Amino acid sequence: MIPIPQYPLYSAALSELGAVQVNYYLDEERQWALNVTELRRALKEARTRCQPRALCIINPGNPTGQVQSRKCIEEVIHFAWEEKLFLLADEVYQDNIWAKGSQFHSFKKVLFEMGPKYSESLELASFHSISKGFMGECGFRGGYMEIINMDPAVQQQLTKLVSVRLCPPVLGQIVVDAVVNPPQPGDPSYQQFIQEKQVVLSALAEKARLTEETFNRAPGIHCNPVQGAMYSFPRIELPARAVQEAKAQGLAPDMFFCRKLLEETGICIVPGSGFGQREGTYHFR
Ligand SMILES: Cc1ncc(COP(=O)(O)O)c(C=O)c1O
């Protein structure tokens, strides 16, 4: 089960594995919130055609920029536990929180706070990467996955699968180490580290605010608050004639819009159809 809109890594991985993609839709009217009623709907519908095994959550969201509330995370954990789904928590944007009142809660932390009934049985994998946050070290290729409660026989197979892919380059491993063990108060580089981290994060927060404000001033564009992550995903209203022209050219209407924007202004954006969106709505990231 994957969110729509989603980061296309997930649809691509499912396709590569020959697995069935089960879509659950984020609620654009409620700032792209995840709604457990929608998860239930998606699961029920999917059970008529496959055996759903895993629920993937992206928090903070790409491309939608929403940050889940603690209450929502608890509800998702309860849902996954009740339905015996393996929970995959993609938390690579955990340092990128911008909106007042938004806070990052890891699924692992909430799971353990919910007590042993959940924390001793729910299968959970959570992910982090050095390419996001304030680090932005995309080229080094490093990250980690933490696994909880996985069946030991399955985990042994997973270790084998991961091992045959060998390891990332040494520099990538060094950056992972630096990310999980940042300078501590009293260390020689602590002050500089904190200062640089704050400069990067406050510049990103300013850009999040600026994109939301600027888009909402443009007629025909509606942008939800960018609560976290590194993207805004505004909705665009396209005139019927533009939609017709796009179809005549064999293009998705939002792709048509993105091309026109690129040709006329040099601004390059990504069409919403690459991430998935509700039928008849158009977006870009
Ligand atoms: C939600 C999400 N998960 C995972 C990744 C993959 O990160 P990496 O390329 O650092 O492995 C990305 C990258 O954009 C992402 O947006």
Side-chain angles (χ1 to χ4, degrees), residues 6-10 57-63 90-93 127-132 137-139 141-143 229 231 285:
Q6 52 111 24
Y7 176 57
L9 162 79
Y10 290 101
I57 306 286
I58 309 176
N59 179 53
N62 174 9
D90 182 331
E91 299 178 331
V92 300
Y93 295 102
F127 307 94
H128 196 15
S129 168
I130 62 173
S131 70
K132 310 293 187 290
E137 297 290 3
C138 311
R141 311 310 303 151
Y231 318 97
R285 188 185 76 172

Side-chain angles (χ1 to χ4, degrees), residues 77-256:
I77 290 175
H78 178 77
F79 169 78
W81 173 82
E82 201 172 45
E83 300 292 350
K84 299 197 167 28
L85 294 168
F86 193 113
L87 200 52
L88 304 169
D90 182 331
E91 299 178 331
V92 300
Y93 295 102
Q94 56 189 264
D95 289 310
N96 301 96
I97 308 291
W98 319 124
K100 273 210 176 75
S102 290
Q103 195 188 340
F104 173 72
H105 300 280
S106 76
F107 270 79
K108 180 186 169 187
K109 181 193 75 175
V110 177
L111 175 68
F112 279 81
E113 286 171 2
M114 285 170 72
K117 176 171 135 187
Y118 297 95
S119 67
E120 286 175 6
S121 61
L122 182 84
E123 292 182 284
L124 171 71
S126 51
F127 307 94
H128 196 15
S129 168
I130 62 173
S131 70
K132 310 293 187 290
F134 52 91
M135 301 80 81
E137 297 290 3
C138 311
F140 284 109
R141 311 310 303 151
Y144 64 80
M145 156 169 79
E146 182 174 7
I147 300 215
I148 289 166
N149 293 327
M150 186 184 260
D151 180 309
V154 177
Q155 189 156 351
Q156 205 178 6
Q157 297 303 319
L158 174 68
T159 305
K160 224 190 279 181
L161 278 173
V162 171
S163 305
V164 295
R165 295 167 74 186
L166 304 180
C167 54
V170 166
L171 288 180
Q173 295 184 49
I174 291 171
V175 181
V176 172
D177 189 62
V179 168
V180 298
N181 292 309
Q184 297 301 312
D187 288 352
S189 54
Y190 180 73
Q191 283 308 333
Q192 189 182 347
F193 166 69
I194 291 295
Q195 200 188 357
E196 287 184 13
K197 175 177 166 180
Q198 276 164 358
V199 167
V200 174
L201 289 177
S202 57
L204 289 169
E206 174 60 10
K207 286 173 194 168
R209 190 191 59 74
L210 198 63
T211 45
E212 178 199 338
E213 258 183 39
T214 309
F215 285 139
N216 283 328
R217 278 205 303 269
I221 299 186
H222 170 76
C223 184
N224 271 331
V226 185
Q227 298 173 325
M230 297 210 217
Y231 318 97
S232 51
F233 197 62
R235 182 164 173 169
I236 43 177
E237 285 162 30
L238 295 180
R241 253 169 21 100
V243 175
Q244 250 173 18
E245 178 58 25
K247 290 193 176 148
Q249 293 186 21
L251 293 174
D254 47 14
M255 177 55 130
F256 175 76

Side-chain angles (χ1 to χ4, degrees), residues 35-56:
N35 176 333
V36 175
T37 312
E38 167 60 9
L39 288 180
R40 285 193 204 290
R41 180 209 61 77
L43 183 68
K44 190 168 167 217
E45 182 273 324
R47 282 197 170 134
T48 61
R49 60 192 170 102
C50 64
Q51 276 190 308
R53 299 289 193 197
L55 168 61
C56 172

